[in-house]
Amino acid sequence: MIRINEIKLSLDEDESLLEAKAAKILKINKKYINSLTIYKKSVDARKKENVHFTYSVDITIALDEEQIVAKCKSNKVQLTKPYIYEIPENKRISKYRPIIVGFGPAGMLAGLILAEAGLKPIILERGKGIGERQRDVNEFWTKRKLDEESNVQFGEGGAGTFSDGKLTTGIKSPFIRKVLDELYEAGAPEEILYSSKPHIGTDRLAVVVKNIRKKIEKLGGEVWLETKLEKLIVYNGFVQGIQYTKKGKTSDMEADSVIMAIGHSARDTVEMLYNLGAEIIQKPFSVGARIEHPQSLINKAQYGKFAGHEKLGAADYKLSCHGLHERGAYTFCMCPGGTVVAAASEKEGVIVNGMSSLARDGENANSALLVGIEPCDFPSSHPLAGIYYQREIEHTAYLLAGGDYRAPAQLVGDFLSGKESKELGNVNPTCPTGVTLTNLDECLPEKVSATMKSAIVEMDKKLNGFNMYDAVLTAPETRSSSSVRILRDEFCQCNISGVYPCGEGAGYAGGIVSAAVDGIKCAHAVLSDEH
């Protein structure tokens, strides 16, 4: 197979021209091309007067491919092999079925791999199935009634289910393709296989999650919804079993392999592991707010005269700067045409996130604007101090906004001036529980607030209009990543043998794809453990 990079198409050219362009680069007649698939597609908007698409394509030809590549002498052309995932040999001899705790991206892929290997895993998910979970979330958003076990953070699919379904990642792993293939097979749009910025969309994620569960079950695995892990049963440093509560009844089950794919909001489970002696250390995390602009402003800033072109859709952005005190500030999880999400999972706490549908056709664009928090900023040296710090910020925001799960909000112009907002301008905030206009300096740590202000000014130089006075900041965003890392060895086990800390909650991932990849890694570790 031959991969050709950097094939350009204007916005008005059809993808059917890719074959002819590929043939020209290879200096062959296009009749010799047997197949062409898009490997990657991206928008190049660096020059606003020439916004276009750039493609990498994989082709097979009815000629000697090695000879053709050598003859064309182009650094855009290379021989490549199609990726084929292979499950490693199962060396496990245990009579017990492996247990997975959590059915987010990490738990889903770990469960799928173990099911494909014939191990019939049992997956515990404390929250409800996707349908009931959606009803509980809507109940919270419309009536502000929070279910601490069924919400934006907990339930079938994990926290990623109520997000943009973004699949971009900074990691490099051959398992990324396996993740994308499984998501596509489960109902995600085909574009995720080649888009440079793939996303599924909140509306499509529910179907994808349900289909992955059905596949696991068809292969002999089980997904126990509304089943909460209470504690691990440990003896002499080895896990012997688990205690769990399923729909009100508490039971024990023997087990010698437990993958802890718990997500970043299962704070009670982290405390349980800490009390059992699991080695946990502090980890940097980020704090900030969601910033909302009109999507039309972002489109114009990014695409210039091409803004609104039907092939481009809603524009996105990714910005970063040092700001004050050399502290990193950056945008994260940008949701074009999306909404801000009220994402609380604990009583008397407010947090926000962002999501958008596959169509990304909302009026506003939103993104997290975050500042890095280092362990030296934590209130103590306790391994769980970051969790307590997050909780304190969330509770302060809850009280500041009125104590009813509305979120504190402020106009960007007022935030930069340090004065409380009194009325909205031309941007209507989309947080479904509503907002209370206030001064965010009263709920954000001082260093975070100061760095955000500096960053907004600097980021406006990169994206015109970012410091728009009427843009709305809604706070706080505290759970973009875990504030702890549960230490594990080269076999993915922590100091309690048979326990595999996994994914975002354990401190080894940051997003849907990286969490899913870590789930595959932990599943491989279970398969290679000869006991």
Side-chain angles (χ1 to χ4, degrees):
M1 187 166 71
I2 300 173
R3 179 164 298 157
I4 307 175
N5 299 311
E6 297 182 40
I7 299 180
K8 298 177 182 180
L9 288 182
S10 73
L11 299 186
D12 296 323
E13 288 183 303
D14 191 85
E15 288 181 352
S16 61
L17 295 174
L18 287 171
E19 273 198 7
K21 287 177 178 279
K24 184 177 180 180
I25 291 171
L26 293 179
K27 301 174 183 176
I28 62 172
N29 191 307
K30 76 171 188 176
K31 71 179 182 180
Y32 293 115
I33 296 178
N34 292 331
S35 67
L36 181 149
T37 57
I38 298 172
Y39 175 73
K40 185 145 290 186
K41 175 183 178 181
S42 59
V43 177
D44 188 337
R46 290 173 293 179
K47 296 180 179 179
K48 298 297 182 282
E49 71 280 2
N50 182 28
V51 177
H52 60 275
F53 292 111
T54 300
Y55 294 80
S56 294
V57 299
D58 289 338
I59 68 171
T60 60
I61 61 175
L63 297 168
D64 186 317
E65 293 183 349
E66 189 172 343
Q67 188 180 67
I68 294 297
V69 169
K71 278 186 176 181
C72 78
K73 296 180 181 179
S74 171
N75 57 10
K76 298 178 181 179
V77 178
Q78 63 192 65
L79 289 169
T80 188
K81 292 182 179 180
Y83 172 73
I84 300 174
Y85 171 77
E86 294 182 1
I87 296 179
E89 178 189 356
N90 177 20
K91 299 180 180 180
R92 183 178 167 83
I93 58 175
S94 172
K95 65 180 179 180
Y96 301 116
R97 296 165 70 179
I99 305 296
I100 299 168
V101 181
F103 197 60
M108 285 192 291
L109 267 293
L112 185 59
I113 298 304
L114 293 178
E116 289 180 334
L119 294 187
K120 300 180 179 179
I122 297 172
I123 306 173
L124 280 56
E125 169 54 55
R126 68 195 292 170
K128 297 179 183 178
I130 194 68
E132 290 180 272
R133 182 186 181 197
Q134 286 175 320
R135 287 191 288 272
D136 290 336
V137 169
N138 287 329
E139 179 90 351
F140 173 56
W141 286 350
T142 56
K143 300 179 181 178
R144 302 178 196 151
K145 294 180 180 179
L146 177 65
D147 185 332
E148 289 187 281
E149 299 297 341
S150 180
N151 47 60
V152 169
Q153 308 296 342
F154 299 140
E156 184 178 14
T161 305
F162 290 90
S163 73
D164 191 35
K166 242 177 233 58
L167 304 177
T168 48
T169 179
I171 68 168
K172 293 185 182 299
S173 169
F175 300 147
I176 291 173
R177 185 66 193 193
K178 170 66 172 174
V179 173
L180 297 179
D181 285 343
E182 291 296 341
L183 293 172
Y184 171 58
E185 182 186 312
E190 186 179 9
E191 304 94 81
I192 71 166
L193 299 177
Y194 56 78
S195 172
S196 63
K197 297 177 180 178
H199 84 290
I200 299 176
T202 313
D203 46 341
R204 190 76 72 91
L205 274 165
V207 174
V208 171
V209 167
K210 190 180 294 185
N211 285 339
I212 290 176
R213 170 169 57 82
K214 288 179 178 178
K215 182 174 181 178
I216 291 171
E217 291 170 340
K218 187 176 180 180
L219 291 166
E222 296 179 38
V223 180
W224 296 0
L225 299 169
E226 298 180 67
T227 305
K228 182 180 178 181
L229 175 73
E230 298 293 346
K231 68 177 182 179
L232 299 177
I233 300 169
V234 178
Y235 182 73
N236 280 346
F238 289 81
V239 67
Q240 305 290 316
I242 63 169
Q243 184 179 95
Y244 64 93
T245 299
K246 185 174 184 179
K247 298 186 178 180
K249 181 183 177 182
T250 301
S251 307
D252 292 348
M253 178 168 54
E254 290 184 279
D256 56 14
S257 296
V258 183
I259 294 178
M260 299 294 291
I262 57 177
H264 56 43
S265 293
R267 293 165 169 171
D268 51 354
T269 307
V270 174
E271 288 182 321
M272 178 272 291
L273 290 171
Y274 176 75
N275 291 331
L276 282 174
E279 293 181 355
I280 300 176
I281 62 172
Q282 296 179 343
K283 187 181 80 62
F285 68 102
S286 297
V287 173
R290 283 271 149 184
I291 185 166
E292 287 190 90
H293 299 89
Q295 182 62 51
S296 57
L297 181 147
I298 305 301
N299 291 346
K300 184 176 180 181
Q302 296 293 68
Y303 296 149
K305 66 180 182 180
F306 296 98
H309 194 288
E310 61 179 1
K311 286 188 178 180
L312 288 173
D316 64 3
Y317 59 81
K318 184 177 182 180
L319 304 169
S320 64
C321 65
H322 279 300
L324 295 176
H325 315 298
E326 293 301 307
R327 303 172 63 82
Y330 60 99
T331 62
F332 176 77
C333 187
M334 192 273 162
C335 298
T339 59
V340 172
V341 177
S345 61
E346 295 180 348
K347 297 288 187 184
E348 299 188 358
V350 165
I351 62 170
V352 292
N353 197 353
M355 73 178 192
S356 55
S357 66
L358 180 60
R360 291 177 160 177
D361 54 1
E363 183 178 335
N364 289 355
N366 77 79
S367 175
L369 176 58
L370 300 177
V371 176
I373 299 288
E374 298 296 327
C376 61
D377 299 314
F378 293 3
S380 78
S381 60
H382 191 284
L384 308 188
I387 288 177
Y388 306 146
Y389 193 24
Q390 288 173 321
R391 186 177 281 149
E392 178 187 337
I393 295 168
E394 293 161 13
H395 182 61
T396 300
Y398 172 82
L399 296 176
L400 180 63
D404 60 0
Y405 296 106
R406 285 176 294 170
Q410 189 175 14
L411 301 189
V412 164
D414 293 336
F415 178 66
L416 294 176
S417 302
K419 63 182 182 182
E420 179 179 328
S421 289
K422 298 295 186 181
E423 60 181 4
L424 294 169
N426 293 319
V427 178
N428 293 313
T430 56
C431 182
T433 53
V435 301
T436 299
L437 291 176
T438 183
N439 187 341
L440 297 185
D441 290 341
E442 296 181 29
C443 70
L444 295 173
E446 182 180 353
K447 289 182 179 179
V448 170
S449 182
T451 304
M452 285 174 59
K453 291 173 183 177
S454 174
I456 288 170
V457 174
E458 288 301 311
M459 289 176 179
D460 185 71
K461 298 174 184 177
K462 301 177 182 180
L463 195 154
N464 186 34
F466 193 78
N467 69 350
M468 173 187 182
Y469 197 106
D470 290 356
V472 177
L473 288 163
T474 308
E477 175 137 352
T478 54
R479 301 196 199 172
S480 61
S481 62
S482 176
S483 61
V484 299
R485 175 167 287 125
I486 306 169
L487 296 181
R488 68 189 191 190
D489 60 21
E490 66 269 29
F491 306 108
C492 294
Q493 297 187 48
C494 71
N495 60 313
I496 302 173
S497 292
V499 176
Y500 300 79
C502 180
E504 197 163 323
Y508 294 96
I512 290 174
V513 171
S514 60
V517 165
D518 202 55
I520 294 175
K521 288 172 62 177
C522 287
H524 286 193
V526 170
L527 288 169
S528 65
D529 193 10
E530 300 178 13
H531 77 274

